[in-house]
Amino acid sequence: MTNATEQAVLQLAVLVGSLRAQSFSRKIAKALTARAPDSLRCRFIEIGELPLYNEDLEGDPPAAWSAFRAAIRECDAVLFVTPEYNRSIPGCLKNALDVGSRPFGKSVFKGLPAGVVSVTPNKLGAFGANHALRQTFVFLDMPVMQQPEAYIGNAAELLDANGAVKSSDTAAFLENFMGAFETWIKTTRPGGSSFDAFMKQREKIAEDYVNGDATSLKAIVTHSEPATFFSPRGDHLEGADTVAGRYERDATSFHEGGSTDLEVLQASASGELAFWTGLQHARARMGKNGEPTEMTLRVTEVFRLEDGAFKLAHRHADPAH
Ligand SMILES: Cc1cc2nc3c(=O)[nH]c(=O)nc-3n(C[C@H](O)[C@H](O)[C@H](O)COP(=O)(O)O)c2cc1C
């Protein structure tokens, strides 16, 4: 695949578990993100204005919940930097986890690699908060980096009046942590961002299709409305069942021995939607004799996130001349 998003940076959500203006945790979070490798784009996502989680509000969720969920959905991993309150995590952070984890089955955290840094001006390194957070990752299904661990005690002594880290040892520790976290994210999500990974899968599915096998395509075609298909024949179809049926029927016109390549000119994902547009080059065996035919299609596909998975909601393909 010629992929325009191949060099895409990884989006890292940073959640700080303190709302205090002079928070040590936030200062440490800034010191960490300042030392992040170039491939990580760090984005502080604020949690202080999230209304307390109440399942009764899910029918018409508060705008702040929706914005928070959408922001996390755009990210590839989450870094938690938190103080310890009463040997656990502060309520604001637990609330953010609860908001992001619901509605049931639609958690925005599911599968995202996590890193934890606990911070305290006291001596014990906020171990209790660090591990209380790790406990939630089991049910949230977030693979958390195990090593290096980061329990930052005596935070007041580590930072100067401007919030910068004083010693080169601390700076090196933070930089090493971010480097290890980058490796962890790439190991856990080898395809890079979730849509980049999906697009690699999409290419394989296209290959199956031009070999007459629509099984893998079926798994990514939406069964929800709206669904549309502007086919290479010039017609257009509407409705999830109609479109899915047509994809299956059209696949039967291909014989084994075909190949295809997606030349992606643009691809992007944001919130609930993702798209790619470009050229699909194919060498397909069609018709009674299965003679190889070269073709290039101009393609735009739109995907919708449904239960955490990208589903094909629209395809426009027509022959390039
Ligand atoms: C409600 C509350 C509970 C606290 N409990 C702990 C604790 O269990 N362990 C600890 O090391 N510090 C505890 N502290 C002190 C915090 O570490 C300290 O206030 C710290 O500055 C908070 O982090 P921040 O600077 O990022 O806001 C507590 C503070 C508050 C307000």
Side-chain angles (χ1 to χ4, degrees), residues 18 20 22-26 83-87 120-122:
S18 169
R20 235 164 46 85
Q22 292 305 317
S23 159
F24 295 121
S25 306
R26 185 169 292 270
E84 179 175 77
Y85 278 8
N86 299 308
R87 298 287 181 257
T120 175
N122 302 315

mmCIF file with all atom_site columns, all heavy atoms in Angstrom, residues 18 20 22-26 83-87 120-122, ligand 1:
data_model
loop_
_atom_site.group_PDB
_atom_site.id
_atom_site.type_symbol
_atom_site.label_atom_id
_atom_site.label_alt_id
_atom_site.label_comp_id
_atom_site.label_asym_id
_atom_site.label_entity_id
_atom_site.label_seq_id
_atom_site.pdbx_PDB_ins_code
_atom_site.Cartn_x
_atom_site.Cartn_y
_atom_site.Cartn_z
_atom_site.occupancy
_atom_site.B_iso_or_equiv
_atom_site.pdbx_formal_charge
_atom_site.auth_seq_id
_atom_site.auth_comp_id
_atom_site.auth_asym_id
_atom_site.auth_atom_id
_atom_site.pdbx_PDB_model_num
ATOM   1   N N   . SER A 1 18  ? -5.027 16.023 38.724 1.00 0.00 ? 18  SER A N   1
ATOM   2   C CA  . SER A 1 18  ? -5.145 17.128 39.683 1.00 0.00 ? 18  SER A CA  1
ATOM   3   C C   . SER A 1 18  ? -5.734 18.338 38.983 1.00 0.00 ? 18  SER A C   1
ATOM   4   O O   . SER A 1 18  ? -5.389 18.622 37.833 1.00 0.00 ? 18  SER A O   1
ATOM   5   C CB  . SER A 1 18  ? -3.768 17.503 40.242 1.00 0.00 ? 18  SER A CB  1
ATOM   6   O OG  . SER A 1 18  ? -3.864 18.717 40.971 1.00 0.00 ? 18  SER A OG  1
ATOM   7   N N   . ARG A 1 20  ? -5.576 21.391 40.494 1.00 0.00 ? 20  ARG A N   1
ATOM   8   C CA  . ARG A 1 20  ? -4.910 22.533 41.124 1.00 0.00 ? 20  ARG A CA  1
ATOM   9   C C   . ARG A 1 20  ? -4.063 23.309 40.120 1.00 0.00 ? 20  ARG A C   1
ATOM   10  O O   . ARG A 1 20  ? -3.329 22.707 39.328 1.00 0.00 ? 20  ARG A O   1
ATOM   11  C CB  . ARG A 1 20  ? -3.944 21.985 42.191 1.00 0.00 ? 20  ARG A CB  1
ATOM   12  C CG  . ARG A 1 20  ? -4.108 22.512 43.585 1.00 0.00 ? 20  ARG A CG  1
ATOM   13  C CD  . ARG A 1 20  ? -3.378 21.632 44.568 1.00 0.00 ? 20  ARG A CD  1
ATOM   14  N NE  . ARG A 1 20  ? -2.023 21.246 44.210 1.00 0.00 ? 20  ARG A NE  1
ATOM   15  C CZ  . ARG A 1 20  ? -0.926 21.972 44.441 1.00 0.00 ? 20  ARG A CZ  1
ATOM   16  N NH1 . ARG A 1 20  ? -1.015 23.162 45.016 1.00 0.00 ? 20  ARG A NH1 1
ATOM   17  N NH2 . ARG A 1 20  ? 0.262  21.501 44.115 1.00 0.00 ? 20  ARG A NH2 1
ATOM   18  N N   . GLN A 1 22  ? -1.382 25.010 40.622 1.00 0.00 ? 22  GLN A N   1
ATOM   19  C CA  . GLN A 1 22  ? 0.060  24.808 40.829 1.00 0.00 ? 22  GLN A CA  1
ATOM   20  C C   . GLN A 1 22  ? 0.415  23.329 41.005 1.00 0.00 ? 22  GLN A C   1
ATOM   21  O O   . GLN A 1 22  ? 1.412  22.988 41.653 1.00 0.00 ? 22  GLN A O   1
ATOM   22  C CB  . GLN A 1 22  ? 0.529  25.604 42.058 1.00 0.00 ? 22  GLN A CB  1
ATOM   23  C CG  . GLN A 1 22  ? 0.481  27.118 41.865 1.00 0.00 ? 22  GLN A CG  1
ATOM   24  C CD  . GLN A 1 22  ? 1.280  27.563 40.634 1.00 0.00 ? 22  GLN A CD  1
ATOM   25  O OE1 . GLN A 1 22  ? 2.383  27.081 40.387 1.00 0.00 ? 22  GLN A OE1 1
ATOM   26  N NE2 . GLN A 1 22  ? 0.702  28.466 39.850 1.00 0.00 ? 22  GLN A NE2 1
ATOM   27  N N   . SER A 1 23  ? -0.398 22.477 40.427 1.00 0.00 ? 23  SER A N   1
ATOM   28  C CA  . SER A 1 23  ? -0.232 21.028 40.601 1.00 0.00 ? 23  SER A CA  1
ATOM   29  C C   . SER A 1 23  ? 1.172  20.535 40.226 1.00 0.00 ? 23  SER A C   1
ATOM   30  O O   . SER A 1 23  ? 1.681  20.813 39.140 1.00 0.00 ? 23  SER A O   1
ATOM   31  C CB  . SER A 1 23  ? -1.267 20.320 39.716 1.00 0.00 ? 23  SER A CB  1
ATOM   32  O OG  . SER A 1 23  ? -0.875 19.001 39.450 1.00 0.00 ? 23  SER A OG  1
ATOM   33  N N   . PHE A 1 24  ? 1.769  19.788 41.148 1.00 0.00 ? 24  PHE A N   1
ATOM   34  C CA  . PHE A 1 24  ? 3.059  19.143 40.837 1.00 0.00 ? 24  PHE A CA  1
ATOM   35  C C   . PHE A 1 24  ? 2.871  18.119 39.708 1.00 0.00 ? 24  PHE A C   1
ATOM   36  O O   . PHE A 1 24  ? 3.743  17.950 38.857 1.00 0.00 ? 24  PHE A O   1
ATOM   37  C CB  . PHE A 1 24  ? 3.618  18.422 42.074 1.00 0.00 ? 24  PHE A CB  1
ATOM   38  C CG  . PHE A 1 24  ? 3.987  19.345 43.206 1.00 0.00 ? 24  PHE A CG  1
ATOM   39  C CD1 . PHE A 1 24  ? 3.396  19.206 44.458 1.00 0.00 ? 24  PHE A CD1 1
ATOM   40  C CD2 . PHE A 1 24  ? 4.933  20.352 43.033 1.00 0.00 ? 24  PHE A CD2 1
ATOM   41  C CE1 . PHE A 1 24  ? 3.736  20.049 45.508 1.00 0.00 ? 24  PHE A CE1 1
ATOM   42  C CE2 . PHE A 1 24  ? 5.281  21.199 44.080 1.00 0.00 ? 24  PHE A CE2 1
ATOM   43  C CZ  . PHE A 1 24  ? 4.670  21.051 45.322 1.00 0.00 ? 24  PHE A CZ  1
ATOM   44  N N   . SER A 1 25  ? 1.734  17.444 39.747 1.00 0.00 ? 25  SER A N   1
ATOM   45  C CA  . SER A 1 25  ? 1.491  16.408 38.731 1.00 0.00 ? 25  SER A CA  1
ATOM   46  C C   . SER A 1 25  ? 1.491  17.024 37.334 1.00 0.00 ? 25  SER A C   1
ATOM   47  O O   . SER A 1 25  ? 2.071  16.466 36.394 1.00 0.00 ? 25  SER A O   1
ATOM   48  C CB  . SER A 1 25  ? 0.145  15.720 38.981 1.00 0.00 ? 25  SER A CB  1
ATOM   49  O OG  . SER A 1 25  ? 0.090  15.245 40.298 1.00 0.00 ? 25  SER A OG  1
ATOM   50  N N   . ARG A 1 26  ? 0.834  18.166 37.192 1.00 0.00 ? 26  ARG A N   1
ATOM   51  C CA  . ARG A 1 26  ? 0.792  18.811 35.874 1.00 0.00 ? 26  ARG A CA  1
ATOM   52  C C   . ARG A 1 26  ? 2.192  19.259 35.451 1.00 0.00 ? 26  ARG A C   1
ATOM   53  O O   . ARG A 1 26  ? 2.575  19.135 34.293 1.00 0.00 ? 26  ARG A O   1
ATOM   54  C CB  . ARG A 1 26  ? -0.180 19.995 35.882 1.00 0.00 ? 26  ARG A CB  1
ATOM   55  C CG  . ARG A 1 26  ? -0.366 20.625 34.496 1.00 0.00 ? 26  ARG A CG  1
ATOM   56  C CD  . ARG A 1 26  ? -1.512 21.615 34.481 1.00 0.00 ? 26  ARG A CD  1
ATOM   57  N NE  . ARG A 1 26  ? -2.794 20.960 34.642 1.00 0.00 ? 26  ARG A NE  1
ATOM   58  C CZ  . ARG A 1 26  ? -3.541 20.505 33.630 1.00 0.00 ? 26  ARG A CZ  1
ATOM   59  N NH1 . ARG A 1 26  ? -3.135 20.649 32.385 1.00 0.00 ? 26  ARG A NH1 1
ATOM   60  N NH2 . ARG A 1 26  ? -4.692 19.921 33.864 1.00 0.00 ? 26  ARG A NH2 1
ATOM   61  N N   . PRO A 1 83  ? -1.683 12.564 41.140 1.00 0.00 ? 83  PRO A N   1
ATOM   62  C CA  . PRO A 1 83  ? -1.331 12.528 42.556 1.00 0.00 ? 83  PRO A CA  1
ATOM   63  C C   . PRO A 1 83  ? -2.069 11.383 43.246 1.00 0.00 ? 83  PRO A C   1
ATOM   64  O O   . PRO A 1 83  ? -2.867 10.676 42.616 1.00 0.00 ? 83  PRO A O   1
ATOM   65  C CB  . PRO A 1 83  ? -1.839 13.872 43.083 1.00 0.00 ? 83  PRO A CB  1
ATOM   66  C CG  . PRO A 1 83  ? -2.884 14.320 42.148 1.00 0.00 ? 83  PRO A CG  1
ATOM   67  C CD  . PRO A 1 83  ? -2.667 13.604 40.837 1.00 0.00 ? 83  PRO A CD  1
ATOM   68  N N   . GLU A 1 84  ? -1.788 11.238 44.520 1.00 0.00 ? 84  GLU A N   1
ATOM   69  C CA  . GLU A 1 84  ? -2.477 10.226 45.332 1.00 0.00 ? 84  GLU A CA  1
ATOM   70  C C   . GLU A 1 84  ? -3.370 10.949 46.328 1.00 0.00 ? 84  GLU A C   1
ATOM   71  O O   . GLU A 1 84  ? -2.918 11.883 46.992 1.00 0.00 ? 84  GLU A O   1
ATOM   72  C CB  . GLU A 1 84  ? -1.431 9.392  46.081 1.00 0.00 ? 84  GLU A CB  1
ATOM   73  C CG  . GLU A 1 84  ? -2.015 8.326  46.988 1.00 0.00 ? 84  GLU A CG  1
ATOM   74  C CD  . GLU A 1 84  ? -0.900 7.468  47.584 1.00 0.00 ? 84  GLU A CD  1
ATOM   75  O OE1 . GLU A 1 84  ? -0.222 7.945  48.523 1.00 0.00 ? 84  GLU A OE1 1
ATOM   76  O OE2 . GLU A 1 84  ? -0.693 6.354  47.092 1.00 0.00 ? 84  GLU A OE2 1
ATOM   77  N N   . TYR A 1 85  ? -4.619 10.536 46.387 1.00 0.00 ? 85  TYR A N   1
ATOM   78  C CA  . TYR A 1 85  ? -5.526 11.057 47.413 1.00 0.00 ? 85  TYR A CA  1
ATOM   79  C C   . TYR A 1 85  ? -5.943 9.879  48.277 1.00 0.00 ? 85  TYR A C   1
ATOM   80  O O   . TYR A 1 85  ? -6.574 8.929  47.782 1.00 0.00 ? 85  TYR A O   1
ATOM   81  C CB  . TYR A 1 85  ? -6.775 11.678 46.772 1.00 0.00 ? 85  TYR A CB  1
ATOM   82  C CG  . TYR A 1 85  ? -6.625 13.113 46.269 1.00 0.00 ? 85  TYR A CG  1
ATOM   83  C CD1 . TYR A 1 85  ? -5.394 13.770 46.231 1.00 0.00 ? 85  TYR A CD1 1
ATOM   84  C CD2 . TYR A 1 85  ? -7.747 13.821 45.833 1.00 0.00 ? 85  TYR A CD2 1
ATOM   85  C CE1 . TYR A 1 85  ? -5.281 15.075 45.762 1.00 0.00 ? 85  TYR A CE1 1
ATOM   86  C CE2 . TYR A 1 85  ? -7.647 15.126 45.370 1.00 0.00 ? 85  TYR A CE2 1
ATOM   87  C CZ  . TYR A 1 85  ? -6.411 15.747 45.331 1.00 0.00 ? 85  TYR A CZ  1
ATOM   88  O OH  . TYR A 1 85  ? -6.306 17.037 44.866 1.00 0.00 ? 85  TYR A OH  1
ATOM   89  N N   . ASN A 1 86  ? -5.600 9.959  49.541 1.00 0.00 ? 86  ASN A N   1
ATOM   90  C CA  . ASN A 1 86  ? -6.007 8.911  50.491 1.00 0.00 ? 86  ASN A CA  1
ATOM   91  C C   . ASN A 1 86  ? -5.676 7.512  49.973 1.00 0.00 ? 86  ASN A C   1
ATOM   92  O O   . ASN A 1 86  ? -6.507 6.612  49.958 1.00 0.00 ? 86  ASN A O   1
ATOM   93  C CB  . ASN A 1 86  ? -7.498 9.057  50.832 1.00 0.00 ? 86  ASN A CB  1
ATOM   94  C CG  . ASN A 1 86  ? -7.762 10.405 51.481 1.00 0.00 ? 86  ASN A CG  1
ATOM   95  O OD1 . ASN A 1 86  ? -7.085 10.769 52.448 1.00 0.00 ? 86  ASN A OD1 1
ATOM   96  N ND2 . ASN A 1 86  ? -8.688 11.172 50.936 1.00 0.00 ? 86  ASN A ND2 1
ATOM   97  N N   . ARG A 1 87  ? -4.434 7.406  49.493 1.00 0.00 ? 87  ARG A N   1
ATOM   98  C CA  . ARG A 1 87  ? -3.865 6.134  49.015 1.00 0.00 ? 87  ARG A CA  1
ATOM   99  C C   . ARG A 1 87  ? -4.571 5.570  47.780 1.00 0.00 ? 87  ARG A C   1
ATOM   100 O O   . ARG A 1 87  ? -4.452 4.388  47.468 1.00 0.00 ? 87  ARG A O   1
ATOM   101 C CB  . ARG A 1 87  ? -3.859 5.068  50.133 1.00 0.00 ? 87  ARG A CB  1
ATOM   102 C CG  . ARG A 1 87  ? -3.004 5.449  51.336 1.00 0.00 ? 87  ARG A CG  1
ATOM   103 C CD  . ARG A 1 87  ? -1.515 5.345  51.011 1.00 0.00 ? 87  ARG A CD  1
ATOM   104 N NE  . ARG A 1 87  ? -0.683 5.673  52.155 1.00 0.00 ? 87  ARG A NE  1
ATOM   105 C CZ  . ARG A 1 87  ? -0.037 6.845  52.300 1.00 0.00 ? 87  ARG A CZ  1
ATOM   106 N NH1 . ARG A 1 87  ? -0.129 7.790  51.372 1.00 0.00 ? 87  ARG A NH1 1
ATOM   107 N NH2 . ARG A 1 87  ? 0.703  7.065  53.347 1.00 0.00 ? 87  ARG A NH2 1
ATOM   108 N N   . THR A 1 120 ? 3.945  12.878 44.056 1.00 0.00 ? 120 THR A N   1
ATOM   109 C CA  . THR A 1 120 ? 3.574  13.391 45.380 1.00 0.00 ? 120 THR A CA  1
ATOM   110 C C   . THR A 1 120 ? 4.718  14.227 45.945 1.00 0.00 ? 120 THR A C   1
ATOM   111 O O   . THR A 1 120 ? 5.890  13.946 45.652 1.00 0.00 ? 120 THR A O   1
ATOM   112 C CB  . THR A 1 120 ? 3.254  12.228 46.358 1.00 0.00 ? 120 THR A CB  1
ATOM   113 O OG1 . THR A 1 120 ? 3.001  12.773 47.665 1.00 0.00 ? 120 THR A OG1 1
ATOM   114 C CG2 . THR A 1 120 ? 4.392  11.235 46.458 1.00 0.00 ? 120 THR A CG2 1
ATOM   115 N N   . PRO A 1 121 ? 4.371  15.243 46.743 1.00 0.00 ? 121 PRO A N   1
ATOM   116 C CA  . PRO A 1 121 ? 5.451  15.963 47.436 1.00 0.00 ? 121 PRO A CA  1
ATOM   117 C C   . PRO A 1 121 ? 5.968  15.151 48.630 1.00 0.00 ? 121 PRO A C   1
ATOM   118 O O   . PRO A 1 121 ? 6.967  15.520 49.250 1.00 0.00 ? 121 PRO A O   1
ATOM   119 C CB  . PRO A 1 121 ? 4.763  17.250 47.903 1.00 0.00 ? 121 PRO A CB  1
ATOM   120 C CG  . PRO A 1 121 ? 3.308  16.916 47.973 1.00 0.00 ? 121 PRO A CG  1
ATOM   121 C CD  . PRO A 1 121 ? 3.052  15.835 46.963 1.00 0.00 ? 121 PRO A CD  1
ATOM   122 N N   . ASN A 1 122 ? 5.287  14.053 48.926 1.00 0.00 ? 122 ASN A N   1
ATOM   123 C CA  . ASN A 1 122 ? 5.688  13.216 50.061 1.00 0.00 ? 122 ASN A CA  1
ATOM   124 C C   . ASN A 1 122 ? 6.673  12.142 49.606 1.00 0.00 ? 122 ASN A C   1
ATOM   125 O O   . ASN A 1 122 ? 7.086  12.107 48.447 1.00 0.00 ? 122 ASN A O   1
ATOM   126 C CB  . ASN A 1 122 ? 4.441  12.606 50.712 1.00 0.00 ? 122 ASN A CB  1
ATOM   127 C CG  . ASN A 1 122 ? 3.495  13.708 51.167 1.00 0.00 ? 122 ASN A CG  1
ATOM   128 O OD1 . ASN A 1 122 ? 3.932  14.699 51.766 1.00 0.00 ? 122 ASN A OD1 1
ATOM   129 N ND2 . ASN A 1 122 ? 2.228  13.573 50.836 1.00 0.00 ? 122 ASN A ND2 1
HETATM 130 C C1  . LIG B 2 .   ? -7.728 14.879 49.717 1.00 0.00 ? 1   LIG B C1  1
HETATM 131 C C2  . LIG B 2 .   ? -6.236 14.692 49.726 1.00 0.00 ? 1   LIG B C2  1
HETATM 132 C C3  . LIG B 2 .   ? -5.712 13.470 50.038 1.00 0.00 ? 1   LIG B C3  1
HETATM 133 C C4  . LIG B 2 .   ? -4.330 13.266 49.999 1.00 0.00 ? 1   LIG B C4  1
HETATM 134 N N1  . LIG B 2 .   ? -3.829 12.022 50.214 1.00 0.00 ? 1   LIG B N1  1
HETATM 135 C C5  . LIG B 2 .   ? -2.511 11.787 49.980 1.00 0.00 ? 1   LIG B C5  1
HETATM 136 C C6  . LIG B 2 .   ? -1.996 10.455 49.987 1.00 0.00 ? 1   LIG B C6  1
HETATM 137 O O1  . LIG B 2 .   ? -2.692 9.489  50.206 1.00 0.00 ? 1   LIG B O1  1
HETATM 138 N N2  . LIG B 2 .   ? -0.687 10.283 49.693 1.00 0.00 ? 1   LIG B N2  1
HETATM 139 C C7  . LIG B 2 .   ? 0.149  11.335 49.403 1.00 0.00 ? 1   LIG B C7  1
HETATM 140 O O2  . LIG B 2 .   ? 1.324  11.113 49.123 1.00 0.00 ? 1   LIG B O2  1
HETATM 141 N N3  . LIG B 2 .   ? -0.318 12.610 49.408 1.00 0.00 ? 1   LIG B N3  1
HETATM 142 C C8  . LIG B 2 .   ? -1.618 12.852 49.682 1.00 0.00 ? 1   LIG B C8  1
HETATM 143 N N4  . LIG B 2 .   ? -2.114 14.131 49.627 1.00 0.00 ? 1   LIG B N4  1
HETATM 144 C C9  . LIG B 2 .   ? -1.189 15.248 49.402 1.00 0.00 ? 1   LIG B C9  1
HETATM 145 C C10 . LIG B 2 .   ? -0.959 15.426 47.908 1.00 0.00 ? 1   LIG B C10 1
HETATM 146 O O3  . LIG B 2 .   ? 0.095  14.590 47.501 1.00 0.00 ? 1   LIG B O3  1
HETATM 147 C C11 . LIG B 2 .   ? -0.584 16.880 47.608 1.00 0.00 ? 1   LIG B C11 1
HETATM 148 O O4  . LIG B 2 .   ? -1.656 17.722 47.943 1.00 0.00 ? 1   LIG B O4  1
HETATM 149 C C12 . LIG B 2 .   ? -0.185 17.072 46.171 1.00 0.00 ? 1   LIG B C12 1
HETATM 150 O O5  . LIG B 2 .   ? 0.323  18.361 45.997 1.00 0.00 ? 1   LIG B O5  1
HETATM 151 C C13 . LIG B 2 .   ? -1.351 16.845 45.230 1.00 0.00 ? 1   LIG B C13 1
HETATM 152 O O6  . LIG B 2 .   ? -0.905 16.753 43.901 1.00 0.00 ? 1   LIG B O6  1
HETATM 153 P P1  . LIG B 2 .   ? -0.859 17.992 42.916 1.00 0.00 ? 1   LIG B P1  1
HETATM 154 O O7  . LIG B 2 .   ? 0.265  18.863 43.376 1.00 0.00 ? 1   LIG B O7  1
HETATM 155 O O8  . LIG B 2 .   ? -0.604 17.418 41.585 1.00 0.00 ? 1   LIG B O8  1
HETATM 156 O O9  . LIG B 2 .   ? -2.174 18.705 43.000 1.00 0.00 ? 1   LIG B O9  1
HETATM 157 C C14 . LIG B 2 .   ? -3.477 14.349 49.691 1.00 0.00 ? 1   LIG B C14 1
HETATM 158 C C15 . LIG B 2 .   ? -4.033 15.590 49.395 1.00 0.00 ? 1   LIG B C15 1
HETATM 159 C C16 . LIG B 2 .   ? -5.391 15.762 49.400 1.00 0.00 ? 1   LIG B C16 1
HETATM 160 C C17 . LIG B 2 .   ? -5.965 17.115 49.034 1.00 0.00 ? 1   LIG B C17 1
#
